[in-house]
């Protein structure tokens, strides 16, 4: 076992690493270009701002050659996919910046699956989706997603773990499967992040927002996208846990989650982040 793997078997190492990355986001304010769906723009931008990053909702193809190379990371989300935006997604993903893909409802249509597969070929650093999305994308099939529920998952994250590993090996991307436990894999190593509360599923676009946060963390740690993704997922989930302590329902949780991303401190992160390297 190498020294890095030994370190990562210590839960305290993950807490320190998560705090280090969040602190670096706050210090450097990485510029994240977000080509994301219309539903998620507000919460994704506010989550990035609260965490210390700088969001830019730039989706015009004519702006990509000038703007994207100056960004620290790119976030592509196909939630409200259209033929007009797809060329911008392709161009931004090909601009040489680290980028992250959210294949929202990949199995909803042949057009959407084709777009996701095409984007996947442009080698994202991270693909983050729910279990149903990852199962469908790994199989490259609309038919793979039985009991289709749009952007919601009809599977548990564990159901998609083997598919995630296969997708990571075939694509070269780190694959993150969101659920009660988030699984993050490069095809060989698997990490579980278990922060979060069920109420977060009742807020639209929380998954989209956490993928935006992953992009900010990848901007800081492009050489280890697995660690960046695991820490971002845990930080976001922890913000939900702490926010839930003051919330009465989904609307107030949305507000408190964003507030908590802003005021998370070292003691909160290092003592409450739950990330574990799986055997």
């Amino acid at each position: 076992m190498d020294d890095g793997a030994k370190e990562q078997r210590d839960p305290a190492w993950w807490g320190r690493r998560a705090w280090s990355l969040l602190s670096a986001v706050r210090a450097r304010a990485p510029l994240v270009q977000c080509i994301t769906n219309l539903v998620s723009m507000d919460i994704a931008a506010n989550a990035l701002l609260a965490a210390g990053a700088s969001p830019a909702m730039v989706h015009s193809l004519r702006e990509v050659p000038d703007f994207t190379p100056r960004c620290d990371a790119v976030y592509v989300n196909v939630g409200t996919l259209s033929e007009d935006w797809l060329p911008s997604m392709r161009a931004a993903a090909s601009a040489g910046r680290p980028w992250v893909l959210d294949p929202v409802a990949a199995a909803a249509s042949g057009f959407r699956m084709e777009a996701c597969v095409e984007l996947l070929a442009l080698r994202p650093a991270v693909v983050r989706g729910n279990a149903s999305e990852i199962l469908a994308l790994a199989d490259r099939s609309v038919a793979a997603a039985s009991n289709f529920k749009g952007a919601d998952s009809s599977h548990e994250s564990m159901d998609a773990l083997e598919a995630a590993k296969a997708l990571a090996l075939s694509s070269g991307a780190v694959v993150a499967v969101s659920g009660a436990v988030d699984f993050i894999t490069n095809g060989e190593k698997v990490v579980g992040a278990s922060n979060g509360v069920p109420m977060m599923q009742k807020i639209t676009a929380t998954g989209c927002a956490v993928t935006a946060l992953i992009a900010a963390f990848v901007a800081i740690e492009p050489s280890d996208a697995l660690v960046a993704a695991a820490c971002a997922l845990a930080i976001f989930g922890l913000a939900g846990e702490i926010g839930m302590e003051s919330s009465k329902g989904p609307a107030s949780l949305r507000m408190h989650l964003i507030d908590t991303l802003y005021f998370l401190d070292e003691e909160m992160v290092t003592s409450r982040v739950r990330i574990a390297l799986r055997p």
Side-chain angles (χ1 to χ4, degrees), residues 56-100:
M57 274 48 189
V58 174
H59 59 263
S60 169
L61 179 60
R62 294 181 62 181
E63 289 192 281
V64 167
D66 293 331
F67 187 81
T68 306
R70 291 185 282 174
C71 294
D72 296 296
V74 175
Y75 165 42
V76 174
N77 176 303
V78 302
T80 50
L81 183 64
S82 74
E83 290 182 338
D84 293 337
W85 281 25
L86 189 53
S88 301
M89 294 175 175
R90 293 192 202 105
S94 304
R97 309 308 300 149
W99 74 283
V100 175

Side-chain angles (χ1 to χ4, degrees), residues 79-123:
T80 50
L81 183 64
S82 74
E83 290 182 338
D84 293 337
W85 281 25
L86 189 53
S88 301
M89 294 175 175
R90 293 192 202 105
S94 304
R97 309 308 300 149
W99 74 283
V100 175
L101 173 64
D102 194 326
V104 178
S109 67
F111 168 61
R112 185 175 294 262
M113 177 59 71
E114 182 180 343
C116 288
V117 171
E118 185 177 350
L119 289 166
L120 190 64
L122 299 176
R123 302 188 69 80

Side-chain angles (χ1 to χ4, degrees), residues 31-177:
L31 178 60
V32 181
Q33 180 181 358
C34 303
I35 305 180
T36 189
N37 71 73
L38 300 172
V39 178
S40 73
M41 284 187 179
D42 178 84
I43 191 171
N46 279 297
L48 284 171
L49 281 169
S54 178
M57 274 48 189
V58 174
H59 59 263
S60 169
L61 179 60
R62 294 181 62 181
E63 289 192 281
V64 167
D66 293 331
F67 187 81
T68 306
R70 291 185 282 174
C71 294
D72 296 296
V74 175
Y75 165 42
V76 174
N77 176 303
V78 302
T80 50
L81 183 64
S82 74
E83 290 182 338
D84 293 337
W85 281 25
L86 189 53
S88 301
M89 294 175 175
R90 293 192 202 105
S94 304
R97 309 308 300 149
W99 74 283
V100 175
L101 173 64
D102 194 326
V104 178
S109 67
F111 168 61
R112 185 175 294 262
M113 177 59 71
E114 182 180 343
C116 288
V117 171
E118 185 177 350
L119 289 166
L120 190 64
L122 299 176
R123 302 188 69 80
V126 179
V127 178
R128 200 282 325 162
N130 63 38
S132 295
E133 291 160 351
I134 297 304
L135 283 164
L137 191 56
D139 195 57
R140 311 295 204 270
S141 172
V142 172
S146 59
N147 302 318
F148 178 66
K149 292 185 178 180
D152 296 326
S153 183
S154 55
H155 300 84
E156 300 298 326
S157 55
M158 178 61 79
D159 298 337
L161 181 53
E162 292 306 313
K165 291 164 71 174
L167 181 60
L169 289 173
S170 66
S171 67
V174 166
V175 177
V177 189

